[in-house]
Amino acid sequence: MEKQPQEVVLIGAGIMSATLSILLKKINPAIKISVFEKLDKIGFESSEAFNNAGTGHSAFCELNYTPMDKNGVVNIDKAIDIAKQFETSKEFWSYLVENNYVSSPEKFLRPTPHMSFVWGDEDVSFLRKRYEKLSQHPLFSDMEYSEDLNKIKEWAPLIVDGRQGNEKVAATHMNLGTDVNFGELTRQIFKGLQDKNEITLETENEVKDLTRLSNGKWAIKVKDLKSGNNKSVNADFVFIGAGGGAILMLQKSGIPEAKKFGGFPVGGQWLVCQNDEVIQKHQAKVYGKAKLGAPPMSVPHLDTRVIDGKKSLLFGPFATFSTKFLKQGSHLDLFKSVNFENIGFLMNCGLNNIDLTKYLIEQVMLSKAKKVESLQEYFPEAKLEDWFEQTAGQRVQVIEEQNGKGVLKFGTEIVSSQDGSMSALLGASPGASTSVSAMLNLLTKCFPELMRNNWQEPIKEMIPSHGKDLSNAELVKESRTRTTSVLKILD
């Protein structure tokens, strides 16, 4: 029988570590959890509001989750899977509210309709097919579809005003969509854990090295950036939740599984509206179709956001390039990650993804005026002077070695040691929105026997639908009735 982990170290104080801390503490109240964060603040890297889309990624509007094949058949499997995962996240967050780990859900989650918007015969046909398939599933049964400009204007006037009346357009609308501030959620969770004395969290503490001891435990070397002092902490389970920095940390661990992975950094930049008159006219997240070669994090969207109590309007993100793996990282990160074991498949991946390289070069060369021209495809009357550029987050696209070749991975990847004593989360979208499912998958991978047996009941207490299929209409209704009420999702 597997042993319960007793001493756990989590590297990085983002939404993943916050989620895993709660799960482990409820599964085993006696567990000792230590969290180390390099920055002086919590949740200020990948989880911070301006560093991600803030979309509760529920597949309501993200067209890249429903690809269409050459025969015109739309595949909705990924959308269904992600929608289920977001419902799981909402159930978990509701548990946190009900058990006083999160005090103010309205500060991190706000009702914001999700829309998809396209133009031209080909894309309109695609969106219609997508709607027809998705709307048959209980998770998407409330989706609305229209090709009528007047109806679309009711949903989002900015994307209609200034268009020619004969232009072929289409949109879908889901009123159940959300805008999520994952940085605020992360900080509330960690405050709840600290107030209950359930974890130890140290900021400005950088993990410098990880060493496997002869007794099977891990020795984690940590540097206190305030005092300059070093210390060593032992753990029988280590989670690396350091965003883009997870690859470098994984490589330091020396586990064989790390040799199969590398990464390529992709940054982002928003256009942000500073005209209140414009901001107040838009109340939705409107997603379009990604351009050829674009990574998933660069799908264009015109978003209502509320950050630190202030309403903003964001468009983008536009891709940028830096050799950093984190926004607060080092320009040497990319070079440090390349070694003799991965350089071959990394180069192979680059040669097989010329479209992505071309896309990134084009994006980096864009002037602000050209970015506003892209915005005008969604908001025809947008004016250059109403918008400013704001740096978004830094992501690392995961590259995995498969049969000697480098394969670009566009989701999130869990990498674990064979004995389950160490695990890391790599990748980006849908990331934070599906953090609860990601951490449950991680626990299943590292502790399969315990997850099958001892840990089922405490998990079901936190997530009532755990182990059930959210394709069942009654179950979806039951789950959403509770979470919508507790989290105050609908106005």
Side-chain angles (χ1 to χ4, degrees):
M1 184 68 181
E2 289 170 343
K3 289 184 179 179
Q4 295 258 10
Q6 299 300 320
E7 296 176 303
V8 173
V9 165
L10 311 182
I11 303 171
I15 187 62
M16 296 295 173
S17 291
T19 301
L20 185 58
S21 294
I22 295 276
L23 289 172
L24 287 171
K25 203 67 189 179
K26 295 298 110 181
I27 283 167
N28 177 12
I31 200 168
K32 179 184 176 184
I33 300 175
S34 301
V35 184
F36 296 107
E37 169 57 51
K38 181 180 177 181
L39 301 182
D40 61 349
K41 297 175 181 177
I42 295 166
F44 267 81
E45 194 48 78
S46 299
S47 301
E48 177 56 9
F50 272 116
N51 294 346
N52 57 59
T55 304
H57 282 294
S58 44
F60 293 160
C61 57
E62 303 91 334
L63 301 180
N64 56 312
Y65 296 156
T66 51
M68 184 169 67
D69 65 21
K70 60 184 179 181
N71 297 316
V73 177
V74 176
N75 187 326
I76 64 170
D77 292 348
K78 185 173 182 179
I80 299 296
D81 187 44
I82 288 172
K84 289 177 179 179
Q85 291 182 58
F86 189 64
E87 295 301 322
T88 296
S89 292
K90 288 193 296 182
E91 288 191 11
F92 179 74
W93 299 340
S94 296
Y95 170 86
L96 299 185
V97 172
E98 292 168 336
N99 289 270
N100 300 314
Y101 283 97
V102 167
S103 57
S104 306
E106 70 280 358
K107 289 185 178 180
F108 74 82
L109 188 146
R110 287 177 172 82
T112 308
H114 285 192
M115 293 179 61
S116 301
F117 180 67
V118 298
W119 53 88
D121 290 338
E122 186 177 330
D123 286 345
V124 168
S125 174
F126 158 71
L127 190 64
R128 190 186 306 118
K129 290 177 180 178
R130 178 183 188 270
Y131 163 74
E132 288 169 353
K133 292 191 76 169
L134 281 178
S135 59
Q136 295 175 30
H137 194 281
L139 288 166
F140 297 86
S141 59
D142 293 334
M143 182 177 279
E144 298 176 82
Y145 174 86
S146 182
E147 297 177 22
D148 178 18
L149 275 175
N150 291 326
K151 183 62 179 177
I152 297 171
K153 186 171 182 174
E154 289 178 20
W155 295 334
L158 291 188
I159 66 175
V160 171
D161 290 343
R163 291 188 184 276
Q164 299 297 318
N166 59 355
E167 185 177 2
K168 187 82 169 176
V169 298
T172 56
H173 181 272
M174 277 290 284
N175 205 40
L176 196 60
T178 54
D179 172 45
V180 188
N181 185 329
F182 289 104
E184 174 64 25
L185 173 58
T186 300
R187 289 184 281 277
Q188 286 200 34
I189 293 174
F190 275 127
K191 183 179 186 303
L193 283 161
Q194 288 178 298
D195 287 348
K196 295 173 187 285
N197 295 314
E198 293 184 340
I199 63 164
T200 300
L201 192 158
E202 296 181 76
T203 57
E204 294 185 87
N205 273 254
E206 182 180 6
V207 173
K208 306 295 287 186
D209 206 2
L210 305 102
T211 306
R212 193 69 189 271
L213 302 175
S214 57
N215 63 2
K217 288 182 177 286
W218 288 92
I220 298 96
K221 182 181 177 183
V222 184
K223 181 175 183 179
D224 186 323
L225 300 179
K226 299 185 291 291
S227 67
N229 296 331
N230 292 320
K231 62 182 174 184
S232 184
V233 179
N234 290 356
D236 45 34
F237 177 71
V238 178
F239 169 64
I240 304 172
I247 284 181
L248 292 171
M249 199 64 61
L250 200 58
Q251 290 174 338
K252 286 183 179 181
S253 74
I255 64 171
E257 291 79 6
K259 296 176 183 179
K260 295 184 64 177
F261 290 90
F264 185 80
V266 179
Q269 187 178 68
W270 300 109
L271 283 178
V272 183
C273 184
Q274 54 190 1
N275 184 332
D276 286 337
E277 187 178 339
V278 175
I279 293 168
Q280 297 308 321
K281 291 179 181 177
H282 190 74
Q283 179 58 32
K285 289 179 176 289
V286 180
Y287 271 58
K289 285 196 76 175
K291 294 185 177 179
L292 181 66
M297 69 166 285
S298 295
V299 172
H301 40 99
L302 180 63
D303 281 11
T304 292
R305 299 288 300 274
V306 178
I307 299 172
D308 298 328
K310 180 175 172 55
K311 188 175 179 182
S312 302
L313 198 57
L314 275 62
F315 179 75
F318 296 93
T320 61
F321 178 72
S322 167
T323 53
K324 292 181 178 182
F325 277 6
L326 291 165
K327 196 172 179 177
Q328 307 278 343
S330 164
H331 287 292
L332 297 176
D333 287 344
L334 175 60
F335 307 106
K336 287 179 180 177
S337 74
V338 178
N339 52 50
F340 288 114
E341 291 166 332
N342 64 21
I343 190 169
F345 69 79
L346 290 177
M347 289 179 66
N348 171 265
C349 183
L351 291 172
N352 289 330
N353 288 277
I354 300 298
D355 282 346
L356 175 58
T357 306
K358 181 173 178 287
Y359 170 82
L360 289 174
I361 293 171
E362 290 173 349
Q363 288 272 292
V364 170
M365 300 293 286
L366 285 178
S367 63
K368 179 185 173 185
K370 286 293 184 183
K371 290 172 186 172
V372 172
E373 284 183 19
S374 296
L375 164 63
Q376 287 167 341
E377 294 181 327
Y378 291 85
F379 174 14
E381 296 182 344
K383 298 175 182 177
L384 181 70
E385 61 268 24
D386 288 338
W387 300 79
F388 66 92
E389 295 165 305
Q390 164 94 29
T391 302
Q394 194 75 1
R395 297 288 185 269
V396 175
Q397 296 295 153
V398 179
I399 300 171
E400 182 180 5
E401 183 272 322
Q402 293 181 3
N403 300 318
K405 297 180 179 179
V407 177
L408 202 60
K409 312 286 281 190
F410 285 119
T412 49
E413 297 288 322
I414 296 170
V415 183
S416 301
S417 60
Q418 187 174 6
D419 65 353
S421 66
M422 171 173 288
S423 195
L425 190 83
L426 310 179
S429 183
S433 298
T434 57
S435 56
V436 181
S437 295
M439 293 301 95
L440 289 174
N441 289 340
L442 182 148
L443 290 174
T444 300
K445 197 168 184 179
C446 294
F447 306 101
E449 289 181 35
L450 287 166
M451 281 294 283
R452 278 195 302 269
N453 302 302
N454 308 47
W455 292 356
Q456 283 297 302
E457 287 310 309
I459 290 173
K460 286 177 182 177
E461 184 184 341
M462 291 180 274
I463 306 158
S465 70
H466 180 68
K468 301 176 183 177
D469 186 3
L470 277 166
S471 293
N472 178 282
E474 282 302 312
L475 185 59
V476 170
K477 181 180 178 181
E478 180 184 333
S479 176
R480 283 183 171 169
T481 297
R482 171 180 170 242
T483 59
T484 299
S485 172
V486 174
L487 299 173
K488 306 170 187 176
I489 290 174
L490 293 177
D491 287 326

